C-alpha cells in the first residue's frame, strides 16, 4: 500500500513524518501524471501545488477552516487529500469535476472557476465568522499571481485591510504564469523578487552555512527559518508592496520545500490577522514534458502518452480557433487600424499569430476583462478597431462595460467569443451559454454566429468593417464541421440552406447541421422544411420575418439558454410585424449544466435531430403545442 492509499482525509496527514510527506508528494505527482494523461485535464497547475496543498491541509483544519482556490483548476491535489482518489472519469459525466464542487465534498467551498474572486469570497467568509463569534476559524485563499492582475483582487484587498481583526491567510501561488506568462506591472514586480540576487544569495548562503554544522546546524536553521524569510523579504524590498495595506507579508518561500511552507503557514495562522504568504512554485513540477513546454507548461491537456507527453488523439479536424487565427492575420495585414486584445489567453483564443506578425498591435491586459472592454472603447475613439478575443463565459464579466462604455458611445469594437454555447467537460462555470441572451439586450449591437469555416471568414471581415457600434462573432469549442453551402442568399444576407413549405428552421451557427438532419427526417414523414442561417442573428433580418409569414411553424435552434435567447427576439419581431406563425424556441434550459460532453448536454436539452423532428411532427399534426398553422387549402 502506498502512502497515498492511506490518505482518506486531511487528518491522515498529521501522523506523517517529513520524509513520508516527501514520499507522498512524489506519489501524488506520479498519480496525477498517470491519471490525467488518460482523461485530460489541468495537469501543469496541479503538479506545481503538491507540497503547498499538503502543507495547507496539515496546518489548517478543513472544512472548519475553509479553503478557497483561485482558480479551482489547481484543486486536484486537494481532492486527493480529501478522499477523492478515483480519477478514472475526471471531467466526465458522473465522474469527478475538474473544479471544486460542493456536491462532491464538504471541503469544496467555491465552485466558480473564474479568476480573481477568491479574496472577495475570503473577505466575506471571514467577516461572517468574526460577526458570529467564530474567531477560532481561519479562511485560506489560494490565489495565483496571474489572478493578481484582476481588479476584484485589489478591491478585496482594500476592504480586507479596512477591517483586519480576523483570521484570513492569503497564499499567493507565484509561478510567473496565469494560463501563459503573467504580464503587467505586478508580474514584473513579483518576477524581480523571484529572481533577485539578494534573496537567492542570502537564502542559498545561509542554507550552506548551517548545513556545514551538521545535524545541530540544520536544526538551528529550521528554527530560525521564519525569521530568516522575514529578513530576506526586507533585504529584497518585497514587503513594500503590502506594507501600506496593513497586511502581514511572509516570504518569499520555496513552494516545494514542505518544511518551509508548513512553518510559514503556521506563522500566518497564529498571527490572527490577515497575512499574505508569498510562495514561489514551478508549474508542471516534476514532469519533464510539462516543465519543458514553453507554451503553458501543460496547463490543460487532452489525452497524452504519460511517458513522452505527446497527444494520443489526433485532431478530428480544423478548430474554430485556428480558422479565426488565420483570418484575423489576413485582416490585420489588410487593415492597419485593427488591433487585438486578450485577457491573458493569447494562444488559446487564437491571437498568437497576430501578435507574432504585428507585436505592437496586440495587447495582453491580464485577467482583466472589464478593463479590456473599456480600454477597447478608448482605442476605438483613438481611430483603431479593437478585436477582443475572449472565451464566451468570461465575457459575462464585462457586460456593464460593453453597455456603458462601448455601445453607449457607439464604439467600433469587435468581440470574438470562443467556446460559446455548450462546452462540456469543464462544467457549469465554463459553459458559454449566456452570451446570446445577455448581449442581445445591448442597444445597437450586431451578433454573428457562423455555421462553418467559410461563414466565419466572411462575417469576421464584415464585423471589423463596422465602426459605429459593437459587433460580436461567436463560435463553439472544437472542430469546424463540413461546409454547408447555401441554396441562395436573400437581399439582407440570410442564407437559405434548404427550402420547403411547412416548417421554417432558423438556426444559430453550427446548429444548422442539426436542423438539416431534422429536415431530412421530417421529409420521410411527408413534412417539408426550410432551413435558414441568418449569419447575423441580431438584429433579426427582415427576410426571416417574411419567410416566417410563408410557413406554418417556425423553429429556432440555438446552443444557448432559451430564456431571453435569439428565439425570443424572433418571436418579438414576428409579433411587431403582425405575423401569427407559431414559434417554438429551442435552446438549453436556464440551469447550470453539469460537466459532461457537449453531445451529452445537447441531447439532455433535446437538441438532437431525432428529438427535434419528433416534436415538430407532433406540432404539425396538432398534438403538441405550439400547433402549426393550418394549411391554406
Amino acid at each position: 500500500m502506498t502512502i497515498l492509499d492511506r490518505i482518506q482525509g486531511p487528518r491522515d496527514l498529521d501522523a506523517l513524518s517529513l520524509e513520508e510527506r516527501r514520499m507522498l508528494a512524489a506519489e501524488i505527482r506520479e498519480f496525477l501524471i498517470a491519471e490525467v494523461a488518460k482523461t485530460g485535464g489541468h495537469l501543469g497547475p496541479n503538479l506545481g501545488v503538491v507540497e503547498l496543498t499538503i502543507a495547507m491541509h496539515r496546518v489548517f483544519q478543513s472544512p472548519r477552516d475553509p479553503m478557497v482556490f483561485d482558480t479551482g483548476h489547481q484543486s486536484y491535489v486537494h481532492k486527493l487529500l480529501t478522499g477523492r482518489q478515483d480519477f478514472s472519469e475526471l471531467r466526465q459525466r458522473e465522474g469527478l469535476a475538474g473544479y471544486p464542487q460542493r456536491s462532491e465534498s464538504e471541503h469544496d467551498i467555491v465552485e466558480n472557476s473564474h479568476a480573481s474572486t477568491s479574496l472577495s469570497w475570503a473577505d466575506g467568509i471571514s467577516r461572517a465568522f468574526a460577526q458570529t463569534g467564530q474567531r477560532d476559524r481561519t479562511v485560506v485563499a489560494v490565489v495565483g499571481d496571474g489572478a493578481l492582475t484582476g481588479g476584484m483582487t485589489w478591491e478585496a484587498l482594500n476592504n480586507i485591510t479596512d477591517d483586519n481583526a480576523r483570521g484570513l491567510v492569503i497564499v499567493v501561488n507565484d509561478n510567473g504564469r496565469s494560463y501563459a506568462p503573467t504580464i503587467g506591472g505586478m508580474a514584473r514586480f513579483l518576477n524581480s523578487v523571484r529572481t533577485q540576487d539578494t534573496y537567492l544569495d542570502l537564502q542559498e548562503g545561509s542554507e550552506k552555512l548551517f548545513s556545514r554544522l551538521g545535524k545541530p546546524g540544520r536544526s538551528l536553521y529550521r528554527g530560525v527559518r521564519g525569521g530568516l524569510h522575514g529578513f530576506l523579504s526586507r533585504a529584497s524590498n518585497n514587503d513594500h508592496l503590502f506594507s501600506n495595506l496593513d497586511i502581514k507579508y511572509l516570504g518569499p518561500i520555496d513552494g516545494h520545500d514542505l518544511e518551509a511552507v508548513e512553518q510559514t503557514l503556521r506563522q500566518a495562522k497564529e498571527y490572527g490577522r490577515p497575512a499574505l504568504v508569498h510562495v514561489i512554485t514551478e508549474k508542471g513540477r516534476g514532469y519533464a514534458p510539462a516543465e519543458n513546454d514553453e507554451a503553458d507548461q501543460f496547463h490543460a491537456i487532452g489525452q497524452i502518452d504519460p511517458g513522452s507527453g505527446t497527444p494520443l488523439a489526433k485532431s478530428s479536424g480544423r478548430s474554430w480557433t485556428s480558422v479565426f487565427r488565420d483570418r484575423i492575420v489576413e485582416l490585420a495585414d489588410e487593415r492597419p487600424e485593427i488591433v487585438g486584445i486578450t485577457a491573458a489567453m493569447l494562444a488559446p483564443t487564437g491571437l498568437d499569430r497576430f501578435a507574432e506578425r504585428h507585436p505592437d498591435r496586440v495587447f495582453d491586459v491580464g485577467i482583466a476583462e472589464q478593463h479590456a472592454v473599456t480600454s477597447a472603447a478608448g482605442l476605438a475613439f483613438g481611430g483603431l478597431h479593437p478585436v477582443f478575443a475572449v472565451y464566451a463565459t468570461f465575457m459575462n464579466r464585462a457586460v456593464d462595460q460593453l453597455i456603458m462604455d462601448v455601445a453607449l458611445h457607439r464604439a467600433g469594437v469587435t468581440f470574438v467569443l470562443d467556446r460559446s454555447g455548450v462546452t462540456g467537460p469543464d462544467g457549469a462555470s465554463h459553459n458559454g451559454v449566456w452570451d446570446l441572451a445577455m448581449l442581445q439586450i445591448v442597444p445597437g449591437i450586431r451578433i454573428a454566429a457562423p455555421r462553418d469555416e467559410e461563414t466565419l471568414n466572411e462575417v469576421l471581415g464584415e464585423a471589423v468593417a463596422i465602426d459605429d457600434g459593437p459587433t460580436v462573432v461567436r463560435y463553439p469549442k472544437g472542430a469546424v464541421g463540413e461546409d454547408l453551402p447555401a441554396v441562395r442568399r436573400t437581399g439582407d444576407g440570410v442564407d437559405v440552406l434548404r427550402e420547403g413549405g411547412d416548417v421554417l428552421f432558423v438556426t444559430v451557427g453550427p446548429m444548422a447541421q442539426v436542423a438539416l438532419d431534422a429536415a431530412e427526417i421530417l421529409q420521410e414523414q411527408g413534412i417539408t422544411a426550410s432551413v435558414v442561417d441568418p449569419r447575423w442573428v441580431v438584429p433579426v433580418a427582415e427576410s426571416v420575418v417574411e419567410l416566417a409569414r410563408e410557413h406554418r411553424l417556425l423553429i429556432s435552434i440555438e446552443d444557448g439558454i432559451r430564456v431571453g435567447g435569439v428565439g425570443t427576439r424572433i418571436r418579438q419581431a414576428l409579433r411587431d410585424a403582425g405575423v401569427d406563425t407559431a414559434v417554438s424556441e429551442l435552446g438549453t434550459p436556464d440551469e447550470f449544466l453539469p460537466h459532461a460532453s457537449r453531445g451529452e448536454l445537447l441531447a439532455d436539452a433535446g437538441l438532437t435531430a431525432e428529438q427535434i423532428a419528433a416534436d415538430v411532427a407532433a406540432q404539425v399534426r396538432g398534438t403538441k403545442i405550439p400547433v402549426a398553422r393550418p394549411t391554406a387549402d
Side-chain angles (χ1 to χ4, degrees):
M1 177 180 287
T2 65
I3 297 175
L4 180 57
D5 290 334
R6 290 156 39 195
I7 305 300
Q8 300 302 310
R11 300 286 52 85
D12 292 334
L13 297 169
D14 295 345
L16 298 183
S17 67
L18 177 59
E19 184 57 33
E20 287 175 318
R21 299 200 300 278
R22 287 172 176 159
M23 292 172 61
L24 173 62
E27 290 176 5
I28 288 174
R29 284 195 170 89
E30 292 176 0
F31 176 94
L32 290 175
I33 293 167
E35 294 299 317
V36 180
K38 298 174 186 175
T39 62
H42 290 93
L43 181 58
N46 287 284
L47 293 176
V49 297
V50 176
E51 290 85 1
L52 172 60
T53 311
I54 292 172
M56 285 170 52
H57 275 294
R58 287 256 305 173
V59 173
F60 301 100
Q61 306 293 308
S62 177
R64 180 166 178 77
D65 294 331
M67 295 183 183
V68 179
F69 290 88
D70 188 345
T71 66
H73 63 238
Q74 59 187 325
S75 65
Y76 291 7
V77 184
H78 166 77
K79 288 175 184 273
L80 287 172
L81 298 180
T82 52
R84 289 167 282 175
Q85 296 182 10
D86 182 2
F87 274 51
S88 61
E89 295 182 310
L90 177 68
R91 300 167 69 246
Q92 298 172 25
R93 187 191 289 273
E94 306 301 331
L96 282 182
Y99 294 85
Q101 187 163 295
R102 289 183 176 181
S103 61
E104 279 185 10
S105 174
E106 62 180 348
H107 297 278
D108 290 3
I109 306 302
V110 178
E111 300 186 8
N112 186 0
S113 59
H114 290 193
S116 307
T117 65
S118 64
L119 299 194
S120 296
W121 270 97
D123 175 57
I125 296 171
S126 61
R127 282 181 188 272
F129 287 170
Q131 193 80 8
T132 55
Q134 302 179 74
R135 295 187 177 274
D136 59 337
R137 302 178 71 178
T138 303
V139 183
V140 188
V142 182
V143 56
D145 59 295
L148 293 181
T149 63
M152 277 187 68
T153 296
W154 296 96
E155 293 174 23
L157 281 170
N158 181 59
N159 280 274
I160 289 169
T161 190
D162 183 58
D163 177 14
N164 63 1
R166 45 205 163 112
L168 197 166
V169 175
I170 301 166
V171 179
V172 176
N173 174 32
D174 178 8
N175 59 23
R177 308 180 71 86
S178 49
Y179 198 115
T182 309
I183 61 90
M186 170 58 66
R188 287 193 296 272
F189 182 89
L190 292 178
N191 188 58
S192 70
V193 175
R194 196 182 305 112
T195 59
Q196 195 163 112
D197 290 340
T198 305
Y199 170 72
L200 295 174
D201 291 346
L202 284 171
Q203 182 190 44
E204 293 173 1
S206 60
E207 287 177 349
K208 291 177 181 177
L209 172 63
F210 283 105
S211 293
R212 290 196 192 102
L213 300 178
K215 187 174 181 179
R218 287 191 292 273
S219 298
L220 178 61
Y221 174 68
R222 288 193 295 270
V224 300
R225 186 194 300 270
L228 176 66
H229 281 300
F231 169 70
L232 292 176
S233 73
R234 288 190 294 275
S236 59
N237 291 320
N238 194 32
D239 58 341
H240 289 181
L241 177 61
F242 297 98
S243 60
N244 290 332
L245 289 175
D246 198 19
I247 295 176
K248 179 68 173 177
Y249 175 88
L250 297 171
I253 310 296
D254 178 356
H256 304 296
D257 184 334
L258 274 165
E259 197 175 15
V261 176
E262 186 172 323
Q263 184 172 14
T264 308
L265 289 175
R266 289 193 189 280
Q267 290 178 341
K269 181 180 180 181
E270 292 166 2
Y271 182 60
R273 291 173 177 271
L276 184 145
V277 178
H278 182 183
V279 178
I280 296 176
T281 63
E282 182 184 3
K283 195 172 182 179
R285 172 85 171 195
Y287 184 41
E291 292 175 346
N292 297 328
D293 180 52
E294 294 183 4
D296 61 10
Q297 265 74 59
F298 280 25
H299 178 89
I301 60 170
Q303 293 178 316
I304 62 171
D305 173 71
S308 64
T310 56
L312 292 180
K314 294 183 178 180
S315 174
S316 58
R318 195 162 186 229
S319 70
W320 289 95
T321 306
S322 65
V323 176
F324 166 73
R325 176 180 285 113
D326 292 341
R327 180 58 172 153
I328 191 62
V329 171
E330 293 175 354
L331 292 169
D333 288 345
E334 298 168 3
R335 304 174 65 109
E337 73 276 13
I338 293 177
V339 294
I341 302 177
T342 178
M345 302 191 82
L346 187 69
T349 60
L351 283 174
D352 46 343
R353 280 198 59 212
F354 184 2
E356 291 168 4
R357 182 78 65 90
H358 303 288
D360 58 338
R361 290 167 57 188
V362 176
F363 311 110
D364 187 342
V365 301
I367 303 176
E369 292 85 359
Q370 293 173 309
H371 164 69
V373 174
T374 300
S375 177
L379 288 166
F381 176 77
L384 301 173
H385 189 102
V387 176
F388 180 27
V390 60
Y391 283 8
T393 183
F394 299 137
M395 188 63 207
N396 300 355
R397 314 182 79 178
V399 173
D400 176 69
Q401 287 70 26
L402 170 59
I403 296 173
M404 295 301 171
D405 295 319
V406 175
L408 178 63
H409 295 90
R410 301 182 68 82
V413 178
T414 295
F415 299 89
V416 175
L417 306 189
D418 201 328
R419 272 75 163 172
S420 67
V422 175
T423 56
D426 280 328
S429 61
H430 262 52
N431 282 310
V433 295
W434 293 280
D435 61 317
L436 293 171
M438 286 192 311
L439 302 187
Q440 70 160 317
I441 66 171
V442 178
I445 200 167
R446 302 168 176 90
I447 303 176
R451 67 181 181 272
D452 54 22
E453 180 173 347
E454 182 179 348
T455 50
L456 171 52
N457 288 331
E458 192 175 47
V459 298
L460 187 60
E462 295 171 7
V464 297
I466 295 172
D467 60 6
D468 63 349
T471 55
V472 176
V473 178
R474 53 105 67 183
Y475 46 78
K477 180 180 180 179
V480 181
E482 296 293 325
D483 280 349
L484 302 176
V487 174
R488 62 185 176 91
R489 176 169 291 179
T490 66
D492 53 2
V494 173
D495 282 349
V496 179
L497 310 183
R498 180 185 177 113
E499 297 191 275
D502 294 317
V503 180
L504 174 65
F505 286 109
V506 181
T507 64
V508 173
M511 301 308 290
Q513 183 63 66
V514 177
L516 288 169
D517 293 342
E520 282 292 330
I521 297 172
L522 290 170
Q523 182 71 42
E524 296 172 359
Q525 302 177 47
I527 300 171
T528 61
S530 295
V531 178
V532 301
D533 169 23
R535 298 185 315 119
W536 289 88
V537 296
V538 174
V540 177
E542 180 61 32
S543 61
V544 170
V545 175
E546 293 308 311
L547 285 167
R549 196 187 302 275
E550 300 167 5
H551 288 76
R552 301 171 57 196
L553 176 68
L554 186 151
I555 309 293
S556 66
I557 310 177
E558 56 195 297
D559 60 343
I561 59 171
R562 60 191 295 268
V563 177
V566 169
T568 62
R569 191 177 185 108
I570 293 172
R571 180 190 291 274
Q572 290 173 336
L574 298 188
R575 183 167 61 240
D576 291 346
V579 177
D580 65 353
T581 302
V583 177
S584 182
E585 309 102 319
L586 304 184
T588 63
D590 55 335
E591 301 171 358
F592 291 108
L593 304 179
H595 58 279
S597 71
R598 174 177 165 89
E600 288 171 332
L601 295 175
L602 290 176
D604 290 347
L607 297 178
T608 65
E610 293 75 15
Q611 183 62 55
I612 292 171
D615 290 342
V616 170
Q619 290 165 336
V620 170
R621 296 187 183 107
T623 60
K624 183 178 175 67
I625 295 175
V627 174
R629 189 168 51 200
T631 57
D633 51 38

